[in-house]
Amino acid sequence: EYMGVLEYPSLCVMHHASYGAVLVCAAVASARYSILTGRSGTPCPALWDKLYRLIFWFLLCYPIWTKQGRYRWLVSVVSVLYLPFYLDGSEDGANNSVGRRDWFYSAWVRDLMFVRVLRKRLDLRLKCCERLDSNRKYVFAAYPHAILPLGACLNLLTDINKIDDVMGPIDKRLLGASFVFYIPIYRDICLAFGCVDAARQSAKGVLDSNRSVMVFPGGAAESLFAFPDSYQLILNNSRSGFIRLALESGADLVPVFSFGETQTYDQITHSNWILMGVQNAIQRIFGIALPFVTNIIPRPCSITTVVGHPIRVEQCPNPSDEQVNQLLQIFKSQLIELFEQHKQCDSKGAKELTFVDSKL
């Protein structure tokens, strides 16, 4: 029960109506200006970004504040004290904030018990075609995204398979969907594992600081095509932002394929246009997908992440569409070759790649 519900039923209706109106306005603004997806060509002004985050924080906290309960005051105090950390902008690599929480992005965080449990459950393995030059910067483009790319992230962002010995000491950050940094607590977990906002200006800021980035070009849209025993990838001109990023920054492009990644989750297939419309709307507004998974805990399987040979990229501050497309085709051929050479790593998965067309 909310405060005042029993005494003033009309206030309850107004409360829910105003709350819903703010939520709808926030969603419409996000869809119109690409606030939560990071797809805007120019960064959102800092003042508007903070204001939008305050609105989102308020929408999440207000139901807790108005809920009757013994520890309501404690939760309210904690949520207010957490606000400065929520607004600190640590996920933005464009404003020199990549190192703002380096104390949080530490070895002990990446060696927590649940990481070791997942390593055993997913039988994680790491292979590198060659040792990389630590003096250069890279764009690691990983496939597939799957429902959650647990294998690739744990193999490349933690030290569970001695990555520095296998690949070399490369300082890198994972690019995550902008929306995940609007979710309290979850954003801090992502920051602890070295994630930054995938918005273009943020990613470029990381590379400009002579660090490398890791990205899943298929993105959340690819998760809607993730099924066990198959590899359905999204790699087309609408997903060539990572290619342009590599050209503009002069960062070498490294294809990465994680075999067995799609075995961890299964999802319900459907042809209901209403459900598909809801998924597409969520993808456009929030930049994340909503697959209807059949299991919450990842299934036991074997995941092998293979890091391919780097593609040398010469810096071009203003690459043309032709240059972007040319490098995209080179990357695609290298990715296919990497898959063909190492597909025996997944004894249960598909033996060929399928490229699907998606505008999301």
Side-chain angles (χ1 to χ4, degrees):
E1 295 178 4
Y2 291 99
M3 294 186 300
V5 170
L6 295 179
E7 294 84 357
Y8 305 101
S10 60
L11 291 180
C12 178
V13 176
M14 293 176 62
H15 162 265
H16 288 291
S18 59
Y19 184 83
V22 174
L23 186 62
V24 170
C25 290
V28 171
S30 172
R32 175 65 180 84
Y33 299 105
S34 301
I35 297 174
L36 296 178
T37 62
R39 293 175 182 172
S40 177
T42 57
C44 178
L47 179 62
W48 287 105
D49 176 68
K50 292 293 187 290
L51 178 60
Y52 199 82
R53 289 177 184 273
L54 280 172
I55 293 173
F56 194 84
W57 173 80
F58 175 79
L59 289 174
L60 292 177
C61 294
Y62 186 68
I64 300 176
W65 296 341
T66 56
K67 190 75 172 178
Q68 296 284 7
R70 183 177 180 182
Y71 299 104
R72 185 186 65 191
W73 67 270
L74 179 61
V75 175
S76 300
V77 170
V78 171
S79 63
V80 172
L81 292 177
Y82 173 72
L83 184 59
F85 296 95
Y86 181 65
L87 299 175
D88 68 359
S90 294
E91 72 281 354
D92 185 6
N95 296 321
N96 234 0
S97 60
V98 179
R100 188 175 295 174
R101 286 206 192 178
D102 272 356
W103 60 273
F104 199 31
Y105 176 52
S106 57
W108 73 268
V109 172
R110 289 171 282 148
D111 194 36
L112 293 173
M113 183 179 294
F114 85 92
V115 174
R116 297 195 295 271
V117 169
L118 282 175
R119 180 196 179 188
K120 184 176 180 180
R121 185 174 182 83
L122 303 180
D123 188 21
L124 298 176
R125 303 176 187 182
L126 176 65
K127 292 183 179 181
C128 294
C129 294
E130 66 175 80
R131 188 177 176 84
L132 301 181
D133 184 359
S134 59
N135 294 320
R136 294 191 62 82
K137 53 187 177 182
Y138 303 91
V139 173
F140 295 91
Y143 279 91
H145 183 284
I147 301 296
L148 284 176
L150 296 174
C153 289
L154 292 176
N155 273 326
L156 297 181
L157 297 177
T158 70
D159 198 37
I160 56 177
N161 281 316
K162 307 297 180 184
I163 186 171
D164 288 350
D165 297 334
V166 177
M167 189 176 69
I170 308 298
D171 189 2
K172 55 190 170 299
R173 296 292 184 268
L174 172 65
L175 303 183
S178 299
F179 178 71
V180 304
F181 298 104
Y182 282 79
I183 305 175
I185 308 302
Y186 182 62
R187 73 182 295 273
D188 300 280
I189 296 175
C190 292
L191 290 171
F193 281 88
C195 295
V196 297
D197 195 337
R200 184 167 176 259
Q201 68 276 2
S202 175
K204 195 172 186 303
V206 177
L207 291 171
D208 288 344
S209 65
N210 291 319
R211 306 187 188 203
S212 300
V213 298
M214 175 182 171
V215 61
F216 290 88
E222 194 176 272
S223 66
L224 300 177
F225 301 93
F227 297 94
D229 305 327
S230 70
Y231 294 115
Q232 301 184 65
L233 313 182
I234 299 178
L235 182 57
N236 49 38
N237 291 330
S238 66
R239 291 281 170 174
S240 61
F242 72 105
I243 299 290
R244 189 175 296 275
L245 180 66
L247 285 167
E248 292 176 348
S249 304
D252 293 346
L253 199 55
V254 183
V256 178
F257 201 94
S258 203
F259 295 89
E261 196 76 76
T262 58
Q263 303 291 343
T264 54
Y265 292 94
D266 197 4
Q267 61 178 308
I268 300 172
T269 58
H270 60 80
S271 57
N272 189 307
W273 65 272
I274 296 179
L275 294 180
M276 294 178 66
V278 170
Q279 288 180 322
N280 292 341
I282 292 175
Q283 170 66 22
R284 287 191 174 92
I285 295 173
F286 299 106
I288 60 173
L290 186 65
F292 300 103
V293 296
T294 59
N295 57 297
I296 298 177
I297 300 176
R299 295 172 175 172
C301 60
S302 179
I303 299 178
T304 302
T305 302
V306 182
V307 181
H309 297 284
I311 302 170
R312 193 62 176 261
V313 177
E314 297 297 331
Q315 187 172 11
C316 180
N318 297 296
S320 64
D321 292 341
E322 183 180 355
Q323 289 174 303
V324 171
N325 186 62
Q326 183 180 6
L327 184 56
L328 177 64
Q329 297 308 315
I330 294 175
F331 172 81
K332 186 175 182 178
S333 63
Q334 292 278 6
L335 182 68
I336 295 174
E337 182 179 349
L338 182 69
F339 176 82
E340 293 296 334
Q341 290 177 350
H342 299 275
K343 60 185 179 183
Q344 72 278 1
C345 294
D346 185 6
S347 58
K348 297 181 180 179
K351 300 305 177 185
E352 62 180 19
L353 297 177
T354 302
F355 293 95
V356 297
D357 187 24
S358 175
K359 301 300 182 182
L360 293 177

